[in-house]
Amino acid sequence: GRESPARTAARHGAVAAVNGDYFAYTGDPLGFAVRDGEFISESMPHRVAMGIMADGSIRFDTAMCVGTLTAADGEQIALDGINRLLSSGETLVLSPTFGTKARAPVGSTAVVLRGVDLPVRVGFEHSGIVDLIGPGQADAAIPADGIVLVASAKTKAWLSTHLRAGEKVKFRFDFVSNPLPPGPPRGDLASRAGSFRGRIARSAWADVSQAMSGGPWLLREGTVLIDGQEEGFSAKDFVLARHPRTAAGVAADGKLLLVTVDGRQSLSSGVNLPDLAQIMKSLGAVHAINLDGGGSTAMVVRGLYVNGPSDGEPRAIPNALLVFAEGPAVRPETLLETASVRSGERVALKLPTEALEPIWGTQDGKGFVDQRGFYYGKRAQVVQAAAATATSLFRLPVSVLPGNPTRIYARFTPSPNNPPDRTTVLITIQDEGGNPIPGRTVKLRVWQGAGQNEAITDARGRAE
């Protein structure tokens, strides 16, 4: 599933949040994900990940997932992943975190294991009792005390041969460091997992508490190292192009740095990855990685979006990095008078009293307020701007009005049910931000023939 970063932060009581990993339309994060020690999503074999360990230290590595299923007779088969939709030739583990239904495709096989010692963890051997083996079904239930193994037709024969109802089955997921050589990623990297299966003494990330993938690297040991090509990113369209960006890094003293940079708008064109690496280095990072960006880039502090999402509003995303701190759970709110500003201009938002170090932002993510309290008008709308302190919240709605006319468009179409020499002229007037401008008088001069020579634009900025 997916939701906005502010909703995720509010649901968990977090004081701040940034967006997380790249994702598929289904809401599946594409890389490594661990939450409170629970293994949620496997890594891509060539993508870097950040992990927060049980002792609070922060680790970065390119790790490869090695999954193993062991039958009661000792035979083993590879597990390809966890908590996502099944692809051809795969065998997956679906835990209750995936949902209540397996969503297994037609032609697949499903095996229900009960009595599993949940949650699933990295580097831990889990076991369960085979309860049911049968054809995969979209609405097959995932038990609260177990998992469902879903497998494609390729492994159906193995499952039928080696698994029996009532028998004990073991499975585990391990991680091994998988650094890449320079150059494009090799297609056979994932097959290296077979050489590790069954002989891993200790998983490289067995002590991980929280983890999230991203990519590519930005800094390693204080040196700029952008391995975009090795991790499968386009140099021209991604590494060297300007986009909104989100990054995570760690300073020499262990301080975690979460950074967002806006882009794709007049206030900020974004940054490329070499620039982002230099930003992280200037902030003191010694290790840093890039996270998902573009329309996903968002930072929430005390319930407010302090950046301006490039889509014009926050994007629903599958996961986020949340920051927690002690403080009051409920803050008194004060609604102040609505301010107004024209598109392309800015307005200074005022608080009734001298607030102590307020955080400025928007509650709905539809616009941008800088930390001096200036709101920058762009899209004509009412925006929920606000200022948050440790104990109070001041709401300052802002009405963004259309700016001065800068664009005029005309479209000529034959009028239906009229002689062929009669034409309708549709005029559209907009400001620089693309907002329609209503109430403007449009005059049309006709050199030959006759016609209506004056009209007033409607709410959509149109006149006929």
Side-chain angles (χ1 to χ4, degrees):
R2 295 186 290 148
E3 67 181 353
S4 69
R7 287 190 62 185
T8 303
R11 191 160 54 84
H12 292 277
V15 70
V18 296
N19 64 284
D21 193 9
Y22 306 95
F23 60 95
Y25 75 96
T26 58
D28 171 42
L30 296 181
F32 189 31
V34 173
R35 180 187 61 209
D36 296 334
E38 179 184 1
F39 176 42
I40 294 174
S41 174
E42 80 275 10
S43 62
M44 297 178 70
H46 52 274
R47 290 282 172 87
V48 65
M50 179 190 78
I52 302 176
M53 302 300 134
D55 62 0
S57 62
I58 299 174
R59 184 182 302 170
F60 295 88
D61 199 1
T62 303
M64 178 174 59
C65 175
V66 181
T68 307
L69 174 68
T70 305
D73 60 7
E75 292 296 315
Q76 294 184 335
I77 193 173
L79 293 175
D80 299 289
I82 186 171
N83 295 335
R84 59 177 173 83
L85 298 181
L86 183 70
S87 296
S88 177
E90 291 186 327
T91 303
L92 304 178
V93 166
L94 304 181
S95 75
T97 297
F98 180 72
T100 59
K101 304 296 182 182
R103 292 192 284 175
V106 175
S108 64
T109 299
V111 180
V112 178
L113 301 184
R114 291 189 177 273
V116 178
D117 37 355
L118 297 173
V120 179
R121 296 180 179 273
V122 173
F124 185 84
E125 185 171 80
H126 296 269
S127 63
I129 304 300
V130 178
D131 181 64
L132 184 67
I133 304 175
Q137 296 179 346
D139 60 350
I142 300 175
D145 66 339
I147 65 163
V148 173
L149 298 168
V150 290
S152 63
K154 181 179 178 181
T155 54
K156 180 178 181 179
W158 189 95
L159 295 173
S160 300
T161 301
H162 298 285
L163 300 187
R164 295 285 186 274
E167 291 183 340
K168 188 176 183 179
V169 174
K170 299 177 182 179
F171 69 94
R172 64 182 294 151
F173 289 96
D174 292 288
F175 282 80
V176 293
S177 184
N178 190 41
L180 289 174
R186 302 194 307 271
D188 63 348
L189 268 176
S191 67
R192 289 184 57 204
S195 64
F196 292 99
R197 191 167 290 111
R199 62 182 185 85
I200 297 176
R202 188 175 187 275
S203 183
W205 287 59
D207 56 341
V208 65
S209 177
Q210 319 288 338
M212 181 176 290
S213 281
W217 276 96
L218 298 173
L219 292 171
R220 188 187 296 178
E221 301 291 349
T223 301
V224 174
L225 176 67
I226 302 171
D227 60 342
Q229 183 182 23
E230 292 83 350
E231 295 197 28
F233 296 100
S234 165
K236 177 182 177 182
D237 298 328
F238 188 86
V239 175
L240 300 178
R242 291 183 175 273
H243 295 292
R245 306 282 188 177
T246 303
V250 62
D253 61 359
K255 181 185 295 183
L256 178 64
L257 302 171
L258 303 177
V259 177
T260 60
V261 182
D262 281 340
R264 298 178 185 171
Q265 46 194 310
S266 57
L267 287 173
S268 175
S269 60
V271 293
N272 58 30
L273 292 189
D275 288 341
L276 184 60
Q278 291 297 336
I279 290 173
M280 298 302 290
K281 189 172 184 178
S282 71
L283 294 173
V286 292
H287 301 289
I289 66 171
N290 183 61
L291 298 175
D292 191 11
S296 297
T297 286
M299 179 179 285
V300 176
V301 180
R302 295 178 183 168
L304 304 181
Y305 288 94
V306 295
N307 77 308
S310 64
D311 287 352
E313 60 184 356
R315 179 179 291 179
I317 57 174
N319 60 5
L321 283 168
L322 305 183
V323 179
F324 297 87
E326 293 183 0
V330 179
R331 296 168 297 173
E333 295 187 9
T334 303
L335 178 61
L336 303 181
E337 185 177 349
T338 301
S340 62
V341 62
R342 291 192 175 277
S343 177
E345 300 177 357
R346 72 179 188 179
V347 62
L349 304 180
K350 300 294 185 180
L351 298 179
T353 58
E354 288 293 329
L356 180 62
E357 297 182 353
I359 294 291
W360 290 94
T362 62
Q363 291 181 298
D364 51 15
K366 297 180 178 180
F368 176 67
V369 185
D370 69 20
Q371 293 309 307
R372 298 171 298 172
F374 284 100
Y375 180 85
Y376 294 78
K378 183 179 180 182
R379 182 183 299 180
Q381 59 186 332
V382 176
V383 177
Q384 300 301 319
T389 69
T391 58
S392 303
L393 178 68
F394 298 91
R395 294 169 53 204
L396 302 95
V398 178
S399 179
V400 182
L401 307 174
N404 294 320
T406 58
R407 303 174 183 175
I408 184 167
Y409 304 95
R411 188 177 70 189
F412 298 80
T413 57
S415 295
N417 303 318
N418 281 299
D421 62 344
R422 188 164 179 168
T423 300
T424 296
V425 183
L426 178 63
I427 304 295
T428 302
I429 298 180
Q430 299 176 345
D431 64 15
E432 187 175 358
N435 298 303
I437 302 180
R440 291 284 179 163
T441 299
V442 178
K443 295 183 178 180
L444 180 69
R445 182 182 298 176
V446 180
W447 276 268
Q448 296 182 8
Q452 177 183 348
N453 63 0
E454 188 172 297
I456 298 177
T457 55
D458 59 17
R460 297 181 296 173
R462 297 180 177 181
E464 290 187 3

